[in-house]
Amino acid sequence: MAYLKLYRKKLQENYKFLDDLFQVRNIEWGIVSKLLCGNKTFLKEIIALGTREIHDSRVSNLKKIKSLDPGIQTVYIKPPAKRSIESIVKYADVSFNTEIYTIQLLSEEAKRQNKTHKIIIMIEMGDLREGVMGEELIDFYKQIIHLPNIEIRGIGTNLNCLSGVMPTQDKLIQLSLYKQLIEAKFNITIPWVSGGTSVAVPLMLKNARPMAVNHFRVGEALFFGKDLFTGQTIQGMHNDVFKLYAEIIEITIKPDTPTGELGENVAGNVFTPANDDLGGTSLRAILDIGLLDMQPQYLTSEDENISVVDASSDMLVVDISHSIREYQVGDVISFHIQYMGALYLMNSSYIDKTVA
């Protein structure tokens, strides 16, 4: 069976790199754990790092985190659905919000549970996912500021996740101005300006982060050490906290082009042969993993001379013709994976998850 391995020491070193970066700038931050899909083995690893704040987009995952360490502050990082209000108040200390109606429901439920529920008001800054429109923010704030059992912990924004809008210095300065506007209008203090995600880490490294942005939520940079502006690995971080291992179940020399009438394959694709492939052959290996578990475009073999051909529902085909290693059936091939690739793998119950 294919398996995904987390390398503890590399994770620890990435965490220390980020924690040092945030501490010296007096920035609070939490780990976004949604990549881990509630896997308790891996959740225990991130709790062991020493974090006191974990973010997730699934209530079931926050419930698991609370069962492992009730003292960790849990943050639900998308606007709550009506059907989930009770469990969100129960298992999330903080939630991200954009609807007055939803916050009213949170207020009523927090009162029933005898709790104070904290909220972050998300503001639309151009990426066109969740967020209150800027021109409506003051009126929005006015309608929720006195709701019982609700503490407005801060304001925030999401960038890059939907439309790819980058968190430039100008964008974050604009977010900081919303903080000043609200504080002046209502004579209050907003503790958090949550404008930082993994994609904004490079701004800190360049000292281009506006000082008012004092809260970050980080997942991809922790697990993959990636600079999302350049696509490169941040100097001093690891890009291989996770690796995928899959076993060879067949090795055969086969033609490079299929024979017969061609139609759509299981993924809905139609094979288009290249002229260079006509009449050619290659040494192909089939691995014990498929589209039920992963997407091949997010995998890169550690053996640089192996290329991914394609996958069906349960098998991955790779070309090992140019490898200097003489692979045998039963050998294991290891892969570097991208963030979305790890997400597919973590969400598959067919992939074993281990820690090294």
Side-chain angles (χ1 to χ4, degrees), residues 41-334:
T41 299
F42 289 173
L43 287 174
K44 287 176 183 177
E45 292 298 323
I46 65 170
I47 289 172
L49 296 172
T51 183
R52 303 313 302 159
E53 181 180 309
I54 297 179
H55 300 230
D56 210 295
S57 56
R58 297 287 188 270
V59 186
S60 58
N61 296 343
L62 297 179
K63 181 179 179 180
K64 289 178 182 179
I65 292 163
K66 283 295 190 185
S67 73
L68 293 170
D69 189 340
I72 285 182
Q73 178 164 260
T74 50
V75 184
Y76 185 73
I77 53 172
K78 65 179 181 183
K82 181 180 177 179
R83 67 183 182 276
S84 303
I85 293 294
E86 181 180 353
S87 56
I88 286 171
V89 172
K90 186 173 183 180
Y91 298 113
D93 300 305
V94 189
S95 63
F96 287 7
N97 284 270
T98 61
E99 290 287 344
I100 293 169
Y101 172 68
T102 303
I103 300 169
Q104 290 169 339
L105 294 178
L106 290 168
S107 171
E108 293 165 6
E109 183 58 38
K111 191 173 182 179
R112 278 191 288 271
Q113 295 189 27
N114 194 28
K115 285 185 172 183
T116 297
H117 184 73
K118 302 171 188 174
I119 63 171
I120 303 294
I121 306 304
M122 299 298 283
I123 303 172
E124 174 58 58
M125 300 286 292
D127 201 52
L128 303 181
R129 206 178 70 174
E130 82 281 15
V132 178
M133 298 303 292
E135 61 269 23
E136 299 171 1
L137 184 60
I138 295 299
D139 184 61
F140 185 98
Y141 226 87
K142 186 186 300 181
Q143 295 185 60
I144 63 169
I145 192 168
H146 297 301
L147 286 175
N149 298 77
I150 292 292
E151 176 189 333
I152 303 175
R153 182 65 185 169
I155 60 172
T157 195
N158 176 77
L159 294 167
N160 189 246
C161 286
L162 183 65
S163 303
V165 174
M166 302 302 282
T168 60
Q169 188 177 37
D170 286 345
K171 286 285 185 185
L172 296 183
I173 288 173
Q174 185 180 350
L175 182 64
S176 304
L177 292 175
Y178 284 128
K179 165 187 163 70
Q180 295 177 24
L181 180 63
I182 294 168
E183 288 182 336
K185 178 70 176 179
F186 298 102
N187 192 27
I188 59 171
T189 298
I190 297 176
W192 279 359
V193 177
S194 186
T197 58
S198 290
V199 72
V201 169
L203 291 181
M204 282 200 308
L205 294 170
K206 298 175 183 176
N207 292 316
R209 180 256 331 175
M211 295 298 290
V213 177
N214 61 357
H215 182 260
F216 271 62
R217 45 198 199 269
V218 179
E220 186 168 0
L222 172 66
F223 297 117
F224 295 91
K226 190 172 182 180
D227 181 331
L228 293 171
F229 275 84
T230 66
Q232 302 302 308
T233 302
I234 296 171
Q235 187 174 357
M237 300 192 77
H238 300 283
N239 64 5
D240 55 353
V241 169
F242 289 106
K243 287 184 187 177
L244 170 67
Y245 296 84
E247 184 179 325
I248 298 174
I249 56 177
E250 177 189 298
I251 297 178
T252 309
I253 295 175
K254 294 190 178 183
D256 289 331
T257 56
T259 55
E261 185 176 343
L262 298 179
E264 289 187 354
N265 65 11
V266 68
N269 301 319
V270 177
F271 182 85
T272 304
N275 290 334
D276 292 344
D277 293 337
L278 296 176
T281 62
S282 57
L283 184 62
R284 293 186 171 203
I286 297 178
L287 309 181
D288 64 336
I289 189 171
L291 296 175
L292 282 171
D293 315 300
M294 57 83 216
Q295 293 293 309
Q297 66 266 34
Y298 301 122
L299 307 181
T300 305
S301 173
E302 277 201 288
D303 182 336
E304 296 179 353
N305 296 311
I306 291 178
S307 59
V308 173
V309 178
D310 208 345
S312 62
S313 57
D314 294 296
M315 288 177 271
L316 175 68
V317 179
V318 296
D319 184 342
I320 60 173
S321 304
H322 304 292
S323 177
I324 60 174
R325 178 177 169 181
E326 294 186 3
Y327 287 97
Q328 306 293 325
V329 171
D331 287 347
V332 171
I333 294 178
S334 57

